[in-house]
DNA sequence: GATCATAGTCGTCTCTCTGACGATAAGCAC
DNA sequence: GTGCTTATCGTCAGAGAGACGACTATGATC
């Protein structure tokens, strides 16, 4: 019986499966999008789900998340273990632990505890399907979180809840950190960064005030010297992410 | 082999033990304190550790944390599942998920994944030891996180790291939420609330500016009508926590 | 009971930052 | 060239924070 089990007796513990699930977010076409895979096996066969998989016996949680991310997208992630970690403007994606989901009935087959990770990545080509997934796609989170689920059906398991938590984390975190740069390529313009904020928050920001704010925050942006006209209009200065990870004072999210 | 295992095959998953660990914080004598228990069994026998235990097969993670908290302290917690949840000024403690720790070697006996929860509670009597703990005490976090570990030895397992993460979460969360009231009894004065901020942040705040800020934030404090002189000096108005959970604009933490 | 120490509460001033918005600059399409 | 787009600089009013003066109402001490 459980009640008779000593709380730390290793020979009599209730067995759990531990998985990682990934909320991979990017900004495409002015919209915040999440990576979904189509499940090729029951349960929820044919449903869209977050990428993820079992943690192996000899690997850490962040390590498992990194591995799944690489298998699924080819991305190299910098995990941010304690606090800051990622170097400025590096090519990979930002990865951080989101939360852990362990409702006893969240998987119909067995007791599964899933550690969710949040990944913020620059725009990528449409991912290949890999492993046991029969398809993969970028889906705008506005469709996923609105009243109308994808293709008329919700996500598998509790992945809709996990996705909502991940999106909320991303939305609030770009307020007080420089994480929005994780959605940009290594070199980007102030306007491109502003479009990231607009897509993630679903708002329109004043270009002049935004420019003043980000260029006036020490350590947020480093001028790289070049300019670009890839967005049309007047040539814009190119920047890379500065070393600052915390924005003080924060970027204020306007209310509706 | 693991690599041959289908990622969601329930019949061939690597078995893990899943535990919850609690970072229980309170403010005593102008200091932020954490609840520790002394381990009565190996490994780390005689070391101080965070309270916690195995998750039972039929209970959720927050449920397990709640149960352990009640067993250890007699506290009833309001978990805060999605966002807000706790009613204003209720008698119990605030409970929220902190993070999950699963380094392969974090427990010398076996693979254990631990979901840490953060509990913020008003000052309590010294807790009774329970279960397999041979003692329990409140320890000032300044001593625990400084260079000098308790009694010359660090905490068991990776609990020092978990504690540090919990303290950092508490410190940052009272900036932009009304969570500091969770450290106060149901009725409290502005000065008592200020002493909570001062203890958690380890700073001294201007009483006049603090008063203006908290009384000027709609929904943060509700006047309860009464007054008290329990802190000495001029009688102070009593308040209960208002319904607001988010502080906008936030309370600013002064820098050294 | 007068005095003092302790806290609480209200006001004022200055500085910084934000939001709103005008004006100018420098590319591209035609 | 004209028109359109985006980038960048500047100005101004209002909100909020830090610094601090002033006053109030208790209990403690002589």
């Amino acid at each position: 019986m459980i009640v008779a089990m000593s709380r730390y007796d290793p020979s009599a513990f209730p067995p759990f499966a531990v998985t990682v699930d990934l909320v991979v977010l990017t900004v495409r076409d002015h919209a915040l999008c999440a990576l979904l895979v189509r499940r090729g096996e029951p349960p929820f066969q044919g449903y869209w789900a977050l990428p993820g998989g079992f943690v192996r016996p000899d690997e850490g949680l962040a390590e498992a998340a990194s591995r799944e991310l690489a298998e699924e997208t080819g991305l190299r992630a910098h995990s941010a273990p304690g606090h800051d970690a990622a170097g400025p403007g590096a090519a990979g994606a930002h990865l951080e632990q989101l939360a852990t989901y362990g409702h006893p009935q969240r998987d119909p087959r067995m007791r599964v505890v899933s550690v969710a990770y949040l990944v913020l990545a620059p725009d990528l080509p449409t991912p290949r399907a890999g492993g046991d997934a029969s398809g993969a796609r970028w889906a705008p989170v506005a469709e996923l979180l609105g009243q109308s689920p994808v293709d008329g059906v919700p996500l598998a398991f509790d992945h809709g809840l996990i996705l909502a938590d991940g999106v909320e984390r991303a939305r609030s975190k770009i307020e007080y950190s420089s994480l929005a740069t994780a959605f940009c390529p290594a070199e980007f313009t102030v306007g491109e960064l502003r479009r990231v904020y607009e897509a993630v928050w679903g708002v329109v920001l004043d270009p002049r005030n935004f420019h003043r704010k980000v260029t006036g925050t020490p350590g947020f942006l480093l001028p790289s010297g070049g300019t670009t006209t890839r967005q049309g209009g007047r040539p814009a200065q190119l920047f890379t992410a500065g070393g600052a990870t915390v924005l003080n004072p924060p970027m204020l999210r306007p209310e509706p």
Side-chain angles (χ1 to χ4, degrees), chain A:
Chain A
M1 279 306 295
I2 299 300
V3 289
M5 182 186 72
S6 175
R7 294 189 312 151
Y8 275 109
D9 179 355
S11 65
F13 68 94
F16 289 74
V18 175
T19 61
V20 291
D21 284 320
L22 300 178
V23 178
V24 186
L25 300 179
T26 196
V27 173
R28 316 190 73 181
D29 304 325
H30 284 224
L32 183 64
C33 294
L35 179 62
L36 299 183
V37 298
R38 194 189 281 274
R39 288 182 55 77
E41 304 177 354
F44 293 101
Q45 186 167 20
Y47 280 60
W48 291 99
L50 300 177
F54 282 105
V55 177
R56 296 179 181 168
D58 54 350
E59 72 183 349
L61 301 174
E63 205 178 332
S66 250
R67 174 179 53 76
E68 291 287 345
L69 179 65
E71 288 175 13
E72 216 78 47
T73 67
L75 269 176
R76 285 269 278 278
H78 334 112
S79 55
H83 307 276
D84 54 327
H94 168 87
L95 182 140
E96 69 177 46
Q97 196 185 100
L98 176 59
T100 299
Y101 300 82
H103 189 280
Q105 277 85 46
R106 65 180 293 277
D107 189 308
R109 297 159 298 176
M110 58 180 306
R111 185 68 197 268
V112 177
V113 166
S114 183
V115 184
Y117 278 79
L118 178 65
V119 177
L120 307 185
D123 195 6
L124 300 166
T126 297
R128 62 175 189 269
D132 55 354
S134 63
R137 63 177 280 230
W138 290 106
V141 299
E143 298 176 10
L144 297 175
L145 299 180
Q147 305 297 37
S148 58
V150 201
D151 300 353
V153 297
L155 296 183
F157 304 106
D158 52 1
H159 289 186
L161 171 64
I162 300 176
L163 175 67
D165 288 348
V167 168
E168 182 47 38
R169 169 82 65 95
R171 283 182 175 154
S172 74
K173 203 144 183 181
I174 64 173
E175 287 188 60
Y176 56 90
S177 79
S178 61
L179 255 179
T181 58
F183 287 115
C184 295
E187 282 196 332
F188 54 90
T189 69
V190 172
E192 288 165 349
L193 184 62
R194 176 169 48 83
R195 274 169 220 111
V196 164
Y197 275 92
E198 292 179 335
V200 175
W201 285 345
V203 298
V204 175
L205 299 175
D206 184 284
R208 297 157 292 188
N209 292 336
F210 183 86
H211 189 279
R212 177 183 60 192
K213 172 71 178 174
V214 296
T215 57
T217 300
F220 193 1
L221 299 182
L222 290 177
S224 77
T227 61
T228 183
T229 60
R230 61 187 174 220
Q231 300 290 338
R234 170 176 165 180
Q237 256 191 289
L238 283 170
F239 295 88
T240 59
T245 55
V246 143
L247 258 47
N248 213 313
M251 183 82 72
L252 292 183
R253 166 160 41 163
E255 36 225 316

